[in-house]
Amino acid sequence: MARASSSWAVLLLAFVINTNRAAATYTWPNPDIDLLESIFYQHNGFRQFGLAFGVSPCNNMANTLETGRDDSAEWFRTAYHDMATADVESGIGGIDASIGFETERTENKGKAFNESVGFFLAFQSSRSSMADVIALAAALTVGSCSNGEVIVPFRGGRQDALEAGPTGVPQPEEDLDSHTAAFARQGFNVSEMIGLVACGHTIGGVHGENFPEIVDVVDDMDNQASRQNFDESFDNFDNSVATQFVANTSQNPLAFGRNETTRSDFRIFNADGGDLIRRMAESQRFFWDTCATLLERMLNTVPKGVQLTDVIEPIAVKPNNLFITVNSNGTQTVSGEVRIMEDGATSTNREVLIHLRGRDNEDVPSSPIAAQTGEGYECLSYYNNMPNFTTYHFTTTVSTAVGVSSFDVQIKDENSDVTNTNGGQGFPWQDALLVQPAESCTSRESIDTRSNNTVKAVAAVRDDMEFELVQLVVPKPVNMIGTYAVRFEEAAVDMKKVKTLGNSGYSLYEASFSFLVIAVGPMKTFDLVAKGPKGTIENNFTRWADVGSC
């Protein structure tokens, strides 16, 4: 117990160091959180990201080739096993995606880890680490399986390990002293160990194909993984695992299984004389609140030196897909989207107006621009207590002599009229270095188990900026031995001027870059960077999916 108490104090200190930033009002853009916010909150519909789909409903399974398995339990297990080797006193380990390198260990049996990381790869990018995606997936799992009763606050900023970490995931056959020591190393005392195990074992079960010494292997086409569930509501994040244990009616194979040696849940739940598990059984709300607290701490356990962001809240008004196409006749076609979080006050005659400013910080002649929406522009949550969004799109034409510098978003409803000024500075929008979406394109060619990926970027560059260097910068994904996750290496290619765009005051620059990656690879993006005597301009994080195909 002394070690548990000491570790708990260290974890509290680490938690404060890693998460306690001064709360700040959100200002767009924020590269640390913008993408993670979209992945976490945009569930189903327009501009959905799709990660939440994997656990919605709770018994969903992306791998439909084998029955008796659920993504929800496997994603949660992946997050815990990634964290479980942490040593909070030394600052080693935590959620860092090292689990991808550790799947051959006997402490990480089963297909869950490789298949989960393989699924998560589509959401990994230069702004969303695999470790962050693992934590996101666990938070989405709990939200979906509790129908929004447990929303684990999510922070970003985790960093990916480049190699395996230490061993040390608790195993069912270990005795109570070993488990107590392992959880103390992770930063959890005895009571917290009991709570975390109960929270983790309220969904899913034990698979006989991985643990035949614990549960029987069955010949059942509806249960090919030979799963024996932890409780009767295995696809619902509720306190049944506790109520059935206390009532002595549990089917939990780790509590009352045929192998007494592997009854780890029985030993853990009784480690305090059965007090906490009884309280979790008596109150569903107490169970949920306990889990929310413990799971937030679990997901925020990170290696020493990693600085997590503030809690990522849904953003009320958020621009997206902003593009300016320069025309040879001296005009710019300005287009974009604004995602608005619904608050229940939307009227049928809502107006969304874009107040667009030129380089002189004055409204352009066509301002305000009426943004439009319609059927199919909603993005809805899969479960309760999460936001819904509506996207409004706009387009206008501006003289290149006037240009663009920023905009405000005015929302007029029946009983309200609010203008969002992004903290008073407007939503910034530079027009010196512009991706030309209609002329830029990407391609992918399959070569055995790999794919050759090519991006052709075309940029309109304002001549009066006198840039001396214009570059295409690609976060190149690099496969690593032993994991499905990738690391990113920044590759820069000089862009060449290909023509002047009439009397527009702009010239077109072009460059291409290719790389090989196993299978389809992660989320792909590119940046533009221009440097000259008047300064450096960046146009960052254009997703390959937002330009056409070559």
mmCIF file of all heavy atoms in Angstrom, residues 439-480:
data_model
loop_
_atom_site.group_PDB
_atom_site.id
_atom_site.type_symbol
_atom_site.label_atom_id
_atom_site.label_comp_id
_atom_site.label_asym_id
_atom_site.label_seq_id
_atom_site.Cartn_x
_atom_site.Cartn_y
_atom_site.Cartn_z
ATOM 1 N N GLU A 439 -6.724 22.412 -60.278
ATOM 2 C CA GLU A 439 -5.541 22.023 -61.047
ATOM 3 C C GLU A 439 -4.610 21.110 -60.263
ATOM 4 O O GLU A 439 -3.748 20.451 -60.852
ATOM 5 C CB GLU A 439 -4.799 23.276 -61.507
ATOM 6 C CG GLU A 439 -5.632 24.153 -62.439
ATOM 7 C CD GLU A 439 -4.889 25.396 -62.883
ATOM 8 O OE1 GLU A 439 -3.907 25.251 -63.626
ATOM 9 O OE2 GLU A 439 -5.295 26.497 -62.471
ATOM 10 N N SER A 440 -4.756 21.076 -58.955
ATOM 11 C CA SER A 440 -3.985 20.142 -58.134
ATOM 12 C C SER A 440 -4.686 18.791 -58.134
ATOM 13 O O SER A 440 -5.909 18.713 -58.295
ATOM 14 C CB SER A 440 -3.862 20.666 -56.701
ATOM 15 O OG SER A 440 -3.252 21.940 -56.671
ATOM 16 N N CYS A 441 -3.917 17.727 -57.945
ATOM 17 C CA CYS A 441 -4.535 16.404 -57.971
ATOM 18 C C CYS A 441 -3.624 15.385 -57.299
ATOM 19 O O CYS A 441 -2.439 15.643 -57.055
ATOM 20 C CB CYS A 441 -4.855 15.971 -59.401
ATOM 21 S SG CYS A 441 -3.403 15.816 -60.482
ATOM 22 N N THR A 442 -4.192 14.228 -57.005
ATOM 23 C CA THR A 442 -3.437 13.132 -56.396
ATOM 24 C C THR A 442 -3.755 11.835 -57.125
ATOM 25 O O THR A 442 -4.787 11.706 -57.795
ATOM 26 C CB THR A 442 -3.793 12.965 -54.907
ATOM 27 O OG1 THR A 442 -5.163 12.549 -54.795
ATOM 28 C CG2 THR A 442 -3.585 14.255 -54.143
ATOM 29 N N SER A 443 -2.863 10.863 -56.974
ATOM 30 C CA SER A 443 -3.100 9.547 -57.570
ATOM 31 C C SER A 443 -2.473 8.482 -56.686
ATOM 32 O O SER A 443 -1.557 8.754 -55.900
ATOM 33 C CB SER A 443 -2.518 9.463 -58.983
ATOM 34 O OG SER A 443 -1.104 9.590 -58.957
ATOM 35 N N ARG A 444 -2.980 7.267 -56.816
ATOM 36 C CA ARG A 444 -2.441 6.134 -56.064
ATOM 37 C C ARG A 444 -2.440 4.908 -56.959
ATOM 38 O O ARG A 444 -3.461 4.553 -57.538
ATOM 39 C CB ARG A 444 -3.262 5.875 -54.799
ATOM 40 C CG ARG A 444 -2.771 4.682 -53.982
ATOM 41 C CD ARG A 444 -3.473 4.627 -52.625
ATOM 42 N NE ARG A 444 -4.912 4.541 -52.761
ATOM 43 C CZ ARG A 444 -5.581 3.400 -52.905
ATOM 44 N NH1 ARG A 444 -4.925 2.248 -52.952
ATOM 45 N NH2 ARG A 444 -6.892 3.401 -53.008
ATOM 46 N N GLU A 445 -1.282 4.257 -57.065
ATOM 47 C CA GLU A 445 -1.124 3.061 -57.885
ATOM 48 C C GLU A 445 -0.672 1.909 -56.998
ATOM 49 O O GLU A 445 0.319 2.028 -56.269
ATOM 50 C CB GLU A 445 -0.085 3.309 -58.983
ATOM 51 C CG GLU A 445 0.189 2.104 -59.858
ATOM 52 C CD GLU A 445 1.342 2.337 -60.820
ATOM 53 O OE1 GLU A 445 2.015 3.384 -60.712
ATOM 54 O OE2 GLU A 445 1.573 1.455 -61.669
ATOM 55 N N SER A 446 -1.394 0.808 -57.036
ATOM 56 C CA SER A 446 -1.051 -0.353 -56.217
ATOM 57 C C SER A 446 0.115 -1.111 -56.826
ATOM 58 O O SER A 446 0.137 -1.380 -58.032
ATOM 59 C CB SER A 446 -2.258 -1.284 -56.082
ATOM 60 O OG SER A 446 -3.307 -0.640 -55.391
ATOM 61 N N ILE A 447 1.083 -1.447 -55.972
ATOM 62 C CA ILE A 447 2.253 -2.225 -56.390
ATOM 63 C C ILE A 447 2.454 -3.314 -55.346
ATOM 64 O O ILE A 447 3.005 -3.065 -54.273
ATOM 65 C CB ILE A 447 3.512 -1.341 -56.501
ATOM 66 C CG1 ILE A 447 3.269 -0.162 -57.455
ATOM 67 C CG2 ILE A 447 4.707 -2.169 -56.956
ATOM 68 C CD1 ILE A 447 4.420 0.821 -57.496
ATOM 69 N N ASP A 448 1.991 -4.524 -55.644
ATOM 70 C CA ASP A 448 2.028 -5.623 -54.676
ATOM 71 C C ASP A 448 1.304 -5.192 -53.394
ATOM 72 O O ASP A 448 0.156 -4.795 -53.443
ATOM 73 C CB ASP A 448 3.472 -6.054 -54.402
ATOM 74 C CG ASP A 448 4.158 -6.593 -55.652
ATOM 75 O OD1 ASP A 448 3.464 -7.247 -56.450
ATOM 76 O OD2 ASP A 448 5.361 -6.355 -55.826
ATOM 77 N N THR A 449 1.998 -5.237 -52.257
ATOM 78 C CA THR A 449 1.373 -4.862 -50.983
ATOM 79 C C THR A 449 1.512 -3.374 -50.686
ATOM 80 O O THR A 449 1.035 -2.898 -49.663
ATOM 81 C CB THR A 449 2.011 -5.647 -49.822
ATOM 82 O OG1 THR A 449 3.416 -5.349 -49.772
ATOM 83 C CG2 THR A 449 1.805 -7.139 -50.010
ATOM 84 N N ARG A 450 2.165 -2.650 -51.591
ATOM 85 C CA ARG A 450 2.392 -1.230 -51.369
ATOM 86 C C ARG A 450 1.576 -0.402 -52.353
ATOM 87 O O ARG A 450 0.955 -0.916 -53.277
ATOM 88 C CB ARG A 450 3.882 -0.896 -51.506
ATOM 89 C CG ARG A 450 4.782 -1.632 -50.524
ATOM 90 C CD ARG A 450 6.237 -1.266 -50.745
ATOM 91 N NE ARG A 450 6.698 -1.649 -52.083
ATOM 92 C CZ ARG A 450 7.876 -1.303 -52.599
ATOM 93 N NH1 ARG A 450 8.705 -0.554 -51.880
ATOM 94 N NH2 ARG A 450 8.222 -1.691 -53.806
ATOM 95 N N SER A 451 1.600 0.900 -52.134
ATOM 96 C CA SER A 451 0.973 1.816 -53.080
ATOM 97 C C SER A 451 1.926 2.971 -53.346
ATOM 98 O O SER A 451 2.629 3.434 -52.441
ATOM 99 C CB SER A 451 -0.363 2.339 -52.547
ATOM 100 O OG SER A 451 -0.183 3.068 -51.349
ATOM 101 N N ASN A 452 1.963 3.395 -54.601
ATOM 102 C CA ASN A 452 2.753 4.562 -54.983
ATOM 103 C C ASN A 452 1.816 5.760 -55.006
ATOM 104 O O ASN A 452 0.858 5.804 -55.784
ATOM 105 C CB ASN A 452 3.394 4.357 -56.355
ATOM 106 C CG ASN A 452 4.323 5.508 -56.720
ATOM 107 O OD1 ASN A 452 5.026 6.034 -55.861
ATOM 108 N ND2 ASN A 452 4.314 5.909 -57.983
ATOM 109 N N ASN A 453 2.069 6.718 -54.143
ATOM 110 C CA ASN A 453 1.183 7.865 -53.959
ATOM 111 C C ASN A 453 1.850 9.123 -54.497
ATOM 112 O O ASN A 453 2.999 9.417 -54.154
ATOM 113 C CB ASN A 453 0.873 8.047 -52.473
ATOM 114 C CG ASN A 453 0.178 6.838 -51.880
ATOM 115 O OD1 ASN A 453 -1.036 6.786 -51.786
ATOM 116 N ND2 ASN A 453 0.961 5.833 -51.469
ATOM 117 N N THR A 454 1.117 9.859 -55.325
ATOM 118 C CA THR A 454 1.665 11.063 -55.953
ATOM 119 C C THR A 454 0.717 12.233 -55.753
ATOM 120 O O THR A 454 -0.500 12.093 -55.910
ATOM 121 C CB THR A 454 1.880 10.847 -57.464
ATOM 122 O OG1 THR A 454 2.794 9.762 -57.661
ATOM 123 C CG2 THR A 454 2.447 12.105 -58.121
ATOM 124 N N VAL A 455 1.285 13.372 -55.384
ATOM 125 C CA VAL A 455 0.518 14.604 -55.319
ATOM 126 C C VAL A 455 1.132 15.604 -56.293
ATOM 127 O O VAL A 455 2.351 15.771 -56.349
ATOM 128 C CB VAL A 455 0.486 15.197 -53.888
ATOM 129 C CG1 VAL A 455 1.885 15.452 -53.346
ATOM 130 C CG2 VAL A 455 -0.346 16.469 -53.857
ATOM 131 N N LYS A 456 0.288 16.220 -57.085
ATOM 132 C CA LYS A 456 0.686 17.335 -57.945
ATOM 133 C C LYS A 456 0.021 18.582 -57.380
ATOM 134 O O LYS A 456 -1.205 18.682 -57.360
ATOM 135 C CB LYS A 456 0.234 17.103 -59.384
ATOM 136 C CG LYS A 456 0.443 18.305 -60.302
ATOM 137 C CD LYS A 456 -0.232 18.090 -61.646
ATOM 138 C CE LYS A 456 -0.210 19.354 -62.494
ATOM 139 N NZ LYS A 456 -0.974 19.191 -63.761
ATOM 140 N N ALA A 457 0.824 19.501 -56.888
ATOM 141 C CA ALA A 457 0.299 20.722 -56.281
ATOM 142 C C ALA A 457 0.523 21.898 -57.215
ATOM 143 O O ALA A 457 1.636 22.110 -57.712
ATOM 144 C CB ALA A 457 0.972 20.984 -54.940
ATOM 145 N N VAL A 458 -0.538 22.645 -57.449
ATOM 146 C CA VAL A 458 -0.463 23.870 -58.242
ATOM 147 C C VAL A 458 -0.849 25.023 -57.324
ATOM 148 O O VAL A 458 -1.901 24.986 -56.673
ATOM 149 C CB VAL A 458 -1.387 23.817 -59.467
ATOM 150 C CG1 VAL A 458 -1.333 25.133 -60.235
ATOM 151 C CG2 VAL A 458 -0.996 22.652 -60.374
ATOM 152 N N ALA A 459 0.008 26.034 -57.268
ATOM 153 C CA ALA A 459 -0.210 27.162 -56.371
ATOM 154 C C ALA A 459 -0.250 28.462 -57.156
ATOM 155 O O ALA A 459 0.527 28.659 -58.103
ATOM 156 C CB ALA A 459 0.898 27.236 -55.327
ATOM 157 N N ALA A 460 -1.167 29.338 -56.764
ATOM 158 C CA ALA A 460 -1.178 30.708 -57.276
ATOM 159 C C ALA A 460 -0.425 31.574 -56.275
ATOM 160 O O ALA A 460 -0.764 31.600 -55.085
ATOM 161 C CB ALA A 460 -2.603 31.199 -57.461
ATOM 162 N N VAL A 461 0.603 32.264 -56.755
ATOM 163 C CA VAL A 461 1.487 33.034 -55.884
ATOM 164 C C VAL A 461 1.397 34.508 -56.281
ATOM 165 O O VAL A 461 1.555 34.858 -57.459
ATOM 166 C CB VAL A 461 2.938 32.533 -56.000
ATOM 167 C CG1 VAL A 461 3.861 33.340 -55.094
ATOM 168 C CG2 VAL A 461 3.010 31.044 -55.653
ATOM 169 N N ARG A 462 1.147 35.356 -55.299
ATOM 170 C CA ARG A 462 0.989 36.786 -55.583
ATOM 171 C C ARG A 462 2.343 37.404 -55.917
ATOM 172 O O ARG A 462 3.303 37.316 -55.134
ATOM 173 C CB ARG A 462 0.356 37.488 -54.380
ATOM 174 C CG ARG A 462 -0.603 38.597 -54.775
ATOM 175 C CD ARG A 462 -1.406 39.102 -53.603
ATOM 176 N NE ARG A 462 -0.601 39.908 -52.701
ATOM 177 C CZ ARG A 462 -0.765 39.943 -51.389
ATOM 178 N NH1 ARG A 462 -1.700 39.201 -50.822
ATOM 179 N NH2 ARG A 462 -0.011 40.716 -50.642
ATOM 180 N N ASP A 463 2.418 38.049 -57.074
ATOM 181 C CA ASP A 463 3.696 38.549 -57.581
ATOM 182 C C ASP A 463 4.298 39.638 -56.701
ATOM 183 O O ASP A 463 5.527 39.715 -56.547
ATOM 184 C CB ASP A 463 3.514 39.085 -59.012
ATOM 185 C CG ASP A 463 3.085 38.000 -59.990
ATOM 186 O OD1 ASP A 463 3.449 36.826 -59.769
ATOM 187 O OD2 ASP A 463 2.373 38.326 -60.966
ATOM 188 N N ASP A 464 3.447 40.480 -56.087
ATOM 189 C CA ASP A 464 3.998 41.608 -55.331
ATOM 190 C C ASP A 464 4.685 41.179 -54.039
ATOM 191 O O ASP A 464 5.358 41.982 -53.394
ATOM 192 C CB ASP A 464 2.910 42.642 -55.036
ATOM 193 C CG ASP A 464 1.844 42.123 -54.076
ATOM 194 O OD1 ASP A 464 1.776 40.898 -53.857
ATOM 195 O OD2 ASP A 464 1.069 42.948 -53.548
ATOM 196 N N MET A 465 4.557 39.901 -53.667
ATOM 197 C CA MET A 465 5.233 39.413 -52.466
ATOM 198 C C MET A 465 6.715 39.128 -52.718
ATOM 199 O O MET A 465 7.493 38.977 -51.779
ATOM 200 C CB MET A 465 4.542 38.154 -51.940
ATOM 201 C CG MET A 465 3.136 38.406 -51.412
ATOM 202 S SD MET A 465 3.103 39.544 -50.004
ATOM 203 C CE MET A 465 3.929 38.577 -48.749
ATOM 204 N N GLU A 466 7.100 39.014 -53.984
ATOM 205 C CA GLU A 466 8.508 38.849 -54.375
ATOM 206 C C GLU A 466 9.174 37.664 -53.669
ATOM 207 O O GLU A 466 10.303 37.740 -53.185
ATOM 208 C CB GLU A 466 9.291 40.139 -54.088
ATOM 209 C CG GLU A 466 8.743 41.349 -54.824
ATOM 210 C CD GLU A 466 9.456 42.645 -54.442
ATOM 211 O OE1 GLU A 466 10.319 42.603 -53.534
ATOM 212 O OE2 GLU A 466 9.153 43.683 -55.044
ATOM 213 N N PHE A 467 8.457 36.546 -53.627
ATOM 214 C CA PHE A 467 9.021 35.360 -52.986
ATOM 215 C C PHE A 467 10.229 34.852 -53.773
ATOM 216 O O PHE A 467 10.222 34.818 -55.009
ATOM 217 C CB PHE A 467 7.978 34.245 -52.899
ATOM 218 C CG PHE A 467 6.853 34.535 -51.940
ATOM 219 C CD1 PHE A 467 5.531 34.494 -52.370
ATOM 220 C CD2 PHE A 467 7.110 34.835 -50.617
ATOM 221 C CE1 PHE A 467 4.492 34.748 -51.493
ATOM 222 C CE2 PHE A 467 6.076 35.097 -49.722
ATOM 223 C CZ PHE A 467 4.766 35.056 -50.164
ATOM 224 N N GLU A 468 11.235 34.437 -53.045
ATOM 225 C CA GLU A 468 12.435 33.876 -53.659
ATOM 226 C C GLU A 468 12.409 32.355 -53.685
ATOM 227 O O GLU A 468 13.147 31.726 -54.446
ATOM 228 C CB GLU A 468 13.670 34.357 -52.889
ATOM 229 C CG GLU A 468 13.845 35.871 -52.940
ATOM 230 C CD GLU A 468 14.923 36.356 -51.992
ATOM 231 O OE1 GLU A 468 15.300 35.578 -51.078
ATOM 232 O OE2 GLU A 468 15.384 37.502 -52.152
ATOM 233 N N LEU A 469 11.568 31.760 -52.833
ATOM 234 C CA LEU A 469 11.484 30.306 -52.744
ATOM 235 C C LEU A 469 10.045 29.910 -52.457
ATOM 236 O O LEU A 469 9.427 30.416 -51.520
ATOM 237 C CB LEU A 469 12.388 29.785 -51.620
ATOM 238 C CG LEU A 469 12.372 28.277 -51.359
ATOM 239 C CD1 LEU A 469 12.970 27.518 -52.540
ATOM 240 C CD2 LEU A 469 13.127 27.940 -50.074
ATOM 241 N N VAL A 470 9.510 29.031 -53.290
ATOM 242 C CA VAL A 470 8.172 28.475 -53.074
ATOM 243 C C VAL A 470 8.322 26.960 -53.051
ATOM 244 O O VAL A 470 8.889 26.372 -53.976
ATOM 245 C CB VAL A 470 7.185 28.903 -54.178
ATOM 246 C CG1 VAL A 470 5.803 28.314 -53.905
ATOM 247 C CG2 VAL A 470 7.112 30.422 -54.284
ATOM 248 N N GLN A 471 7.810 26.328 -51.990
ATOM 249 C CA GLN A 471 8.018 24.892 -51.824
ATOM 250 C C GLN A 471 6.716 24.151 -51.548
ATOM 251 O O GLN A 471 5.804 24.672 -50.898
ATOM 252 C CB GLN A 471 8.989 24.619 -50.670
ATOM 253 C CG GLN A 471 10.433 25.008 -50.951
ATOM 254 C CD GLN A 471 11.351 24.580 -49.832
ATOM 255 O OE1 GLN A 471 11.056 24.805 -48.653
ATOM 256 N NE2 GLN A 471 12.471 23.953 -50.173
ATOM 257 N N LEU A 472 6.663 22.931 -52.049
ATOM 258 C CA LEU A 472 5.663 21.945 -51.662
ATOM 259 C C LEU A 472 6.284 21.104 -50.551
ATOM 260 O O LEU A 472 7.377 20.557 -50.719
ATOM 261 C CB LEU A 472 5.305 21.060 -52.862
ATOM 262 C CG LEU A 472 4.557 19.753 -52.566
ATOM 263 C CD1 LEU A 472 3.165 20.031 -52.019
ATOM 264 C CD2 LEU A 472 4.486 18.885 -53.823
ATOM 265 N N VAL A 473 5.608 21.026 -49.413
ATOM 266 C CA VAL A 473 6.118 20.265 -48.273
ATOM 267 C C VAL A 473 5.121 19.149 -47.965
ATOM 268 O O VAL A 473 3.936 19.409 -47.727
ATOM 269 C CB VAL A 473 6.317 21.166 -47.041
ATOM 270 C CG1 VAL A 473 6.853 20.347 -45.870
ATOM 271 C CG2 VAL A 473 7.269 22.315 -47.374
ATOM 272 N N VAL A 474 5.611 17.915 -47.978
ATOM 273 C CA VAL A 474 4.753 16.750 -47.768
ATOM 274 C C VAL A 474 5.218 15.993 -46.530
ATOM 275 O O VAL A 474 6.387 15.596 -46.452
ATOM 276 C CB VAL A 474 4.785 15.806 -48.987
ATOM 277 C CG1 VAL A 474 3.914 14.575 -48.737
ATOM 278 C CG2 VAL A 474 4.316 16.542 -50.239
ATOM 279 N N PRO A 475 4.333 15.794 -45.541
ATOM 280 C CA PRO A 475 4.657 14.873 -44.446
ATOM 281 C C PRO A 475 4.622 13.444 -45.001
ATOM 282 O O PRO A 475 3.555 12.851 -45.156
ATOM 283 C CB PRO A 475 3.553 15.113 -43.420
ATOM 284 C CG PRO A 475 2.864 16.374 -43.853
ATOM 285 C CD PRO A 475 3.028 16.433 -45.341
ATOM 286 N N LYS A 476 5.770 12.919 -45.308
ATOM 287 C CA LYS A 476 5.863 11.614 -45.968
ATOM 288 C C LYS A 476 5.729 10.496 -44.936
ATOM 289 O O LYS A 476 6.523 10.412 -43.998
ATOM 290 C CB LYS A 476 7.210 11.506 -46.680
ATOM 291 C CG LYS A 476 7.518 10.140 -47.264
ATOM 292 C CD LYS A 476 8.945 10.096 -47.781
ATOM 293 C CE LYS A 476 9.346 8.687 -48.183
ATOM 294 N NZ LYS A 476 10.771 8.633 -48.604
ATOM 295 N N PRO A 477 4.730 9.623 -45.083
ATOM 296 C CA PRO A 477 4.604 8.508 -44.141
ATOM 297 C C PRO A 477 5.661 7.444 -44.411
ATOM 298 O O PRO A 477 5.922 7.089 -45.562
ATOM 299 C CB PRO A 477 3.193 7.975 -44.403
ATOM 300 C CG PRO A 477 2.878 8.386 -45.799
ATOM 301 C CD PRO A 477 3.628 9.653 -46.056
ATOM 302 N N VAL A 478 6.262 6.959 -43.346
ATOM 303 C CA VAL A 478 7.307 5.943 -43.449
ATOM 304 C C VAL A 478 6.883 4.737 -42.622
ATOM 305 O O VAL A 478 6.597 4.865 -41.426
ATOM 306 C CB VAL A 478 8.660 6.479 -42.945
ATOM 307 C CG1 VAL A 478 9.730 5.392 -43.014
ATOM 308 C CG2 VAL A 478 9.081 7.704 -43.757
ATOM 309 N N ASN A 479 6.814 3.581 -43.253
ATOM 310 C CA ASN A 479 6.454 2.367 -42.529
ATOM 311 C C ASN A 479 7.560 1.972 -41.562
ATOM 312 O O ASN A 479 8.745 2.196 -41.826
ATOM 313 C CB ASN A 479 6.190 1.226 -43.500
ATOM 314 C CG ASN A 479 4.961 1.463 -44.356
ATOM 315 O OD1 ASN A 479 5.061 1.649 -45.570
ATOM 316 N ND2 ASN A 479 3.797 1.472 -43.735
ATOM 317 N N MET A 480 7.152 1.394 -40.435
ATOM 318 C CA MET A 480 8.097 0.942 -39.422
ATOM 319 C C MET A 480 7.939 -0.559 -39.221
ATOM 320 O O MET A 480 6.821 -1.090 -39.267
ATOM 321 C CB MET A 480 7.858 1.683 -38.104
ATOM 322 C CG MET A 480 8.062 3.181 -38.200
ATOM 323 S SD MET A 480 7.874 4.028 -36.595
ATOM 324 C CE MET A 480 6.095 3.914 -36.359
#
